[in-house]
Amino acid sequence: MKKTSIAMLAMAAAVSFQANAATGVDPLTQVQPMDGEWFHDGSAPDHIVEVPSFNVPATGVIDYIDSVIPLEFGEEKWVKAVQFIPGDKRVLHHLLSYVVADTPDAGEGMLDETVNDPRREFLEGYAPGKEYATEFPENTGIKVPEGSALRMSIHYTSFGQETTDATRVGLWFADENETPEYEFHTYSVATPMNQIEIPAGAMNHEASSSHVFEDDILLYGFRAHMHYRGKAMSARVVYPDNSSEDIINVADYNFAWQPTYQLDEPMVLPAGSRVVVEGLFDNSQYNLGVPDPTVDAMGGLQSWEEMFIGYFSYTDLPE
């Protein structure tokens, strides 16, 4: 009975394909992206930011889109959770969002994710694998002062079918009588893109970067970001007394799975601690994601180029 059912399904699919072929309809155009849903505590967001829709062509290189949307709340807010629902996750390579002052120059200059600009506060980002809401630890959150805007860096990639993306950003706020005591921060530790060069055919090309935290912090999480040649990334801390401790080892990095890894217990990093990010790139024929293993790979914004960034999420150390 099961074989008969499978045969019938196959026959129906063949008939459908033939019907599309007869009418000149490309079957790919009939495939629609899956609808998303809000995941934080079963409630709808307190505020939804509608990212301006964008028509993504079937082919071609698409420059980054920089969008600034005023957050007209009329008062200070604290974000306790945030979630991104892509309009079409097949084309949304990533979206980074920052809280900035809503001023005439809010959108000036390029948003370089390898640079930590004190004029903006990282809210959260979307990347493949981040399906659920990001919930900030208890008694922490992202402060949104009155008169702020959300600045976003959006990267689309074509995949052979024209489509339209209209991503939504859901924000859940802390109750007015439960204002968090600590601001949640994210710091990117990266190799500048102009310093990345991966030899053709290299299977285990090493990369590293580091940063010294000048104040006491409480480390909550880590996220690795590379492109198609990314193979592995790890992070460790070297304490002021020169002892060291592993933070995380992403031994099998996958571009399609880039969550923020939350520590089971936050780590205390005293002032003067150096965090070290180390990783491997595979630019060989054995990595099926490599566009051309016979040429050197350079750093850059597009997915066929490379990045090397470790994101550290933390708060100031409670007194």
Side-chain angles (χ1 to χ4, degrees):
M1 191 70 178
K2 181 179 291 185
K3 290 183 179 178
T4 302
S5 298
I6 293 175
M8 291 177 65
L9 287 172
M11 184 180 296
V15 170
S16 175
F17 179 82
Q18 291 170 358
N20 284 332
T23 59
V25 177
D26 182 351
L28 274 179
T29 64
Q30 308 304 302
V31 180
Q32 298 299 319
M34 295 177 61
D35 292 332
E37 58 181 306
W38 303 114
F39 284 110
H40 173 65
D41 72 10
S43 68
D46 296 312
H47 181 79
I48 297 176
V49 178
E50 302 283 353
V51 179
S53 63
F54 182 78
N55 294 324
V56 181
T59 60
V61 179
I62 304 164
D63 291 335
Y64 278 38
I65 295 172
D66 195 343
S67 181
V68 179
I69 299 178
L71 299 174
E72 299 173 338
F73 302 144
E75 59 181 352
E76 179 181 282
K77 294 287 188 181
W78 283 78
V79 176
K80 67 177 183 180
V82 56
Q83 182 184 347
F84 300 83
I85 295 184
D88 191 336
K89 66 174 63 177
R90 299 171 299 176
V91 293
L92 185 59
H93 173 284
H94 75 247
L95 186 158
L96 300 176
S97 62
Y98 301 84
V99 176
V100 299
D102 185 14
T103 57
D105 62 351
E108 289 185 358
M110 186 185 79
L111 271 178
D112 186 344
E113 57 199 282
T114 66
V115 176
N116 297 277
D117 190 331
R119 294 172 299 177
R120 63 182 191 237
E121 184 70 48
F122 184 72
L123 173 63
E124 187 49 272
Y126 170 83
K130 299 197 74 169
E131 303 294 329
Y132 297 92
T134 296
E135 302 177 8
F136 300 115
E138 185 177 358
N139 206 24
T140 75
I142 304 294
K143 183 167 69 172
V144 182
E146 183 180 356
S148 293
L150 192 64
R151 185 175 180 184
M152 292 172 286
S153 174
I154 310 167
H155 182 192
Y156 292 113
T157 54
S158 57
F159 75 108
Q161 175 188 335
E162 183 178 346
T163 186
T164 299
D165 179 81
T167 292
R168 294 173 291 161
V169 184
L171 306 176
W172 287 265
F173 300 138
D175 294 336
E176 293 182 0
N177 58 349
E178 296 180 353
T179 300
E181 291 185 68
Y182 301 100
E183 289 190 61
F184 200 77
H185 303 291
T186 295
Y187 194 93
S188 63
V189 178
T191 298
M193 286 180 283
N194 62 5
Q195 296 180 19
I196 295 177
E197 183 174 356
I198 308 166
M203 292 181 61
N204 292 292
H205 180 74
E206 298 180 356
S208 65
S209 190
S210 67
H211 170 73
V212 175
F213 283 100
E214 298 180 355
D215 300 312
D216 299 337
I217 67 166
L218 195 58
L219 181 67
Y220 282 95
F222 177 84
R223 179 165 68 87
H225 180 65
M226 295 180 281
H227 290 173
Y228 296 137
R229 299 170 189 81
K231 186 174 184 178
M233 183 182 285
S234 63
R236 58 188 172 89
V237 55
V238 180
Y239 294 108
D241 63 3
N242 214 33
S243 63
S244 65
E245 186 176 2
D246 292 336
I247 297 173
I248 190 172
N249 180 21
V250 184
D252 188 13
Y253 175 83
N254 188 329
F255 177 79
W257 183 251
Q258 299 183 51
T260 297
Y261 295 94
Q262 300 291 346
L263 303 179
D264 288 337
E265 295 291 337
M267 295 176 64
V268 175
L269 304 189
S273 296
R274 177 183 296 275
V275 290
V276 181
V277 182
E278 297 165 310
L280 299 173
F281 288 105
D282 183 352
N283 192 30
S284 75
Q285 60 181 324
Y286 303 105
N287 179 357
L288 300 181
V290 174
D292 186 350
T294 66
V295 300
D296 295 351
M298 312 301 288
L301 297 174
Q302 298 296 337
S303 13
W304 63 83
E305 298 169 315
E306 276 304 333
M307 288 185 176
F308 185 79
I309 310 174
Y311 292 92
F312 293 82
S313 299
Y314 67 97
T315 66
D316 294 334
L317 188 67
E319 297 180 358

